[in-house]
Amino acid sequence: MSDPHYDFIIIGSGMGGAAVAYALRNSGARILLLERGGHLPQEAENWQVESVFAQSRYKTAETWTDAASGASFKPGVHYFVGGNTKVYGACLPRFRSEDFEALEHEGGTSPAWPISYEDLQPYYALAEQLFFVHGQAGQDPCEPPRAKPYPFPALPHEPTIAALCEKLRSQGLHPYSLPMAVDWREDGGCIRCTTCDGFPCKLHAKGDAERCLVMPALQHDTVELWTQTRALRILTTADGRHASAVEVERGGEHLTLHAGGIVVACGAVNSAALLLRSTNSAHPKGLANSSDMLGRNYMMHNNTALTAIDPRKTNPTVFQKTVAINDYYFGDVDFPFPMGNIQALGKLQAGMLSAAVPGLPKALLRGLARRSIDWWVMSEDLPDPNNRITLGTNGGLRVHWQPNNRAAHRQLARRAAGMMRAAGYPLVFTQTLGIETNSHQCGTARFGDDPATSVLDALCKTHDLDNLYVVDSSFFPSSTAMNPALTICAQALRVADHLQGLELLA
C-alpha cells in the first residue's frame, strides 16, 4: 500500500461507524472503514428458521465468559458489514425526552445525559429519513415532541392485530404503531414476510446500516471499506495525547494503519475490549481509562419473551411487528416507577420454539405457533460499575453482569400477561432472557461532562485523547427501555457534524 495514512479510520461498520462514514462522505476527508467480518450473503438460508435459529448460521462462533459462573456463552452479535442491523427487528424509536434526564426507578437512579432530547431531535429526523422509517405520530402516550412527521406512513396492522388493538383500547390502553425501517414505500422491495425480525433480509428491503449508510458512502472515492479486517490495538503518540494508528490483522498479515482521527464503533463490548487491549506506558489501564470507567456500567436491558395463545383460534398474521404499548413506560397508579416498553415480535414460528425449547413434539410446537401472539417485554437495565467487561488472561472477553431493576420488569411482564388474558388469550407463557441476549448492549464508555466519572465528552471524544471517538452504544449513560439503534445513528450523525468542523490532523 503506497499511502497508509487516512484522515479518519472508523473501526466497525454497524449503525454508529456507518453513520459517521456516510456523514463524512462529502467532506473531502480520506476515510477507511474497517469491518472484522464480510458481507452477509444473500442466500436461501436467510429465510430458513432452522439455519438462522437452530444452527445460528449468522451469529459469531466465538464465545464469551460469564464471569459469575465461569460458563461460556455465545453472544447475540453478528460480524458483518452493517453489524447487528443485518438481523435486527428494524424497529427505530426515538428515546423519550425524559430519558435524557435523571429518572428515579424502583431499583435505583437512571442518570442524566450530558445532552438533551432537543440536541438530538434534528439528527433523529435525518436518521428516520435515511432509514425510510414508517410511523404515525400522536398515538404513543409518551412520545417526545417532533418537528417533522414520520417520513412514511405507519405499516398497517393485519386483521388479527387490528382486532387486538381494539380490545386493548377497550382496556384503556393506547396501542401505537411501531416505527419500522422496512422498505414499504411505493417502489420498495419489502413483501412483509415472516422472516424479518431476527433474520437477514434476502431482498435487501430492510433498513440496515449496510444498505442505508455504507453503500451510499462507498459511492465516493474518498471512502474505502476493508472487510475481514480485525482491529487489534490502537497506538498513540509518545505523550499519549493523540491516537496515531491502528494495528490490524487482515488475511493473516499484521498491518499498521495511520490516521489523523480514529473513530471506534465495534459495539459496546468489543469497543471496550479494544481500548482495554491498547495499553501503553501513557495509558497503563487501557486507552481513555484515567477514570477507571472503561468497560464499566455495562447494560443490556431486562428482556422477557411473552407468548399468548387462544387455543380456540389461529393467528394467520404474517408480519406481526407493527404494534407496541407504552402506557407503563413511566409507571402507573399501582407502581409509580418506570416499567418499560411492550412491543410485538416478529411472528413466532415452530422452528424458533424448537430451538428455544428442544425436546417438545414438533406437532405441539406447530400448533402453539399457529395460535400465538408474541411480545417482547423490555425494561431498563440500570448502570452499575460492577457490571463490566474485562479481558481474561488469554485475552478472551469476560462479562460481569448481574441483572437489576427486576421488580419493575416483573411488574411490566405481569401487566403484559394481564392485558392479553383480558383480550381473550387465556394461555400466557413467558421466558425471561439472560446474559446471552445482549443485542441492546450499551454503556461501557459512558459520556459525560466530568472526566473523573466518564470516558467520553458530550461529542463522544475521549477525555484523555484529543482525536479518539467512540460512537456506538458504548456512550449511553443509561439504557432507557427503547431499542437503541436510532439513537446510536442520531448521535453518530451529530458527532460527524463536529468532525467536519475540525482541522484534520493528517
Side-chain angles (χ1 to χ4, degrees), residues 11-31:
I11 309 171
S13 67
M15 187 64 94
V20 173
Y22 174 86
L24 294 179
R25 72 197 186 284
N26 291 317
S27 67
R30 187 178 177 196
I31 298 161

Side-chain angles (χ1 to χ4, degrees), residues 319-404:
F319 196 97
Q320 183 173 263
K321 196 176 179 70
T322 58
V323 64
I325 301 290
N326 264 343
D327 292 83
Y328 309 112
Y329 196 87
F330 293 116
D332 63 12
V333 177
D334 296 321
F335 189 82
F337 296 101
M339 284 184 263
N341 171 261
I342 306 166
Q343 64 183 243
L345 280 168
K347 185 67 193 80
L348 184 66
Q349 299 180 58
M352 300 176 188
L353 283 170
S354 301
V357 190
L360 289 182
K362 290 185 177 180
L364 173 61
L365 296 177
R366 284 194 296 270
L368 293 174
R370 283 200 302 268
R371 290 165 172 80
S372 71
I373 291 182
D374 318 289
W375 298 91
W376 192 254
V377 181
M378 181 167 56
S379 303
E380 188 155 346
D381 184 15
L382 299 174
D384 178 346
N386 294 315
N387 283 347
R388 62 186 302 200
I389 306 304
T390 60
L391 301 177
T393 54
N394 62 352
L397 290 169
R398 295 177 59 82
V399 181
H400 307 250
W401 181 74
Q402 292 295 321
N404 58 46

Side-chain angles (χ1 to χ4, degrees), residues 123-291:
Y123 299 101
Y124 272 139
L126 174 56
E128 289 170 342
Q129 190 71 45
L130 292 172
F131 283 82
F132 38 81
V133 175
H134 295 66
Q136 176 62 54
Q139 298 177 333
D140 179 350
C142 65
E143 69 183 353
R146 302 180 61 92
K148 299 178 180 179
Y150 280 98
F152 298 96
L155 300 179
H157 303 309
E158 293 184 43
T160 298
I161 301 304
L164 173 64
C165 287
E166 288 303 314
K167 293 177 181 178
L168 297 178
R169 290 188 189 99
S170 72
Q171 299 177 36
L173 298 174
H174 301 83
Y176 68 95
S177 298
L178 269 177
M180 295 295 294
V182 293
D183 198 354
W184 189 245
R185 298 174 292 184
E186 184 174 344
D187 297 320
C190 178
I191 60 172
R192 286 173 57 108
C193 64
T194 58
T195 51
C196 184
D197 194 0
F199 294 82
C201 182
K202 191 167 65 172
L203 304 179
H204 276 189
K206 183 187 294 189
D208 63 49
E210 180 187 26
R211 173 183 171 175
C212 297
L213 301 172
V214 175
M215 292 171 67
L218 291 176
Q219 298 302 308
H220 297 256
D221 293 339
T222 55
V223 182
E224 189 175 350
L225 169 67
W226 284 15
T227 60
Q228 306 295 344
T229 305
R230 184 174 182 182
L232 303 175
R233 285 168 50 82
I234 297 173
L235 307 181
T236 73
T237 52
D239 62 4
R241 287 301 307 172
H242 295 86
S244 59
V246 183
E247 286 186 0
V248 304
E249 182 180 13
R250 188 186 196 213
E253 184 179 4
H254 283 222
L255 303 170
T256 300
L257 309 173
H258 297 270
I262 296 174
V263 178
V264 177
C266 311
V269 171
N270 278 302
S271 287
L274 174 61
L275 298 179
L276 288 169
R277 285 198 305 267
S278 301
T279 56
N280 59 30
S281 58
H283 300 276
K285 296 188 296 182
L287 289 193
N289 198 23
S290 63
S291 63

Side-chain angles (χ1 to χ4, degrees), residues 171 308 413-429:
Q171 299 177 36
R414 197 170 297 142
R415 283 158 178 73
M419 78 179 189
M420 291 307 293
R421 290 191 181 101
Y425 292 81
L427 304 179
V428 177
F429 304 95

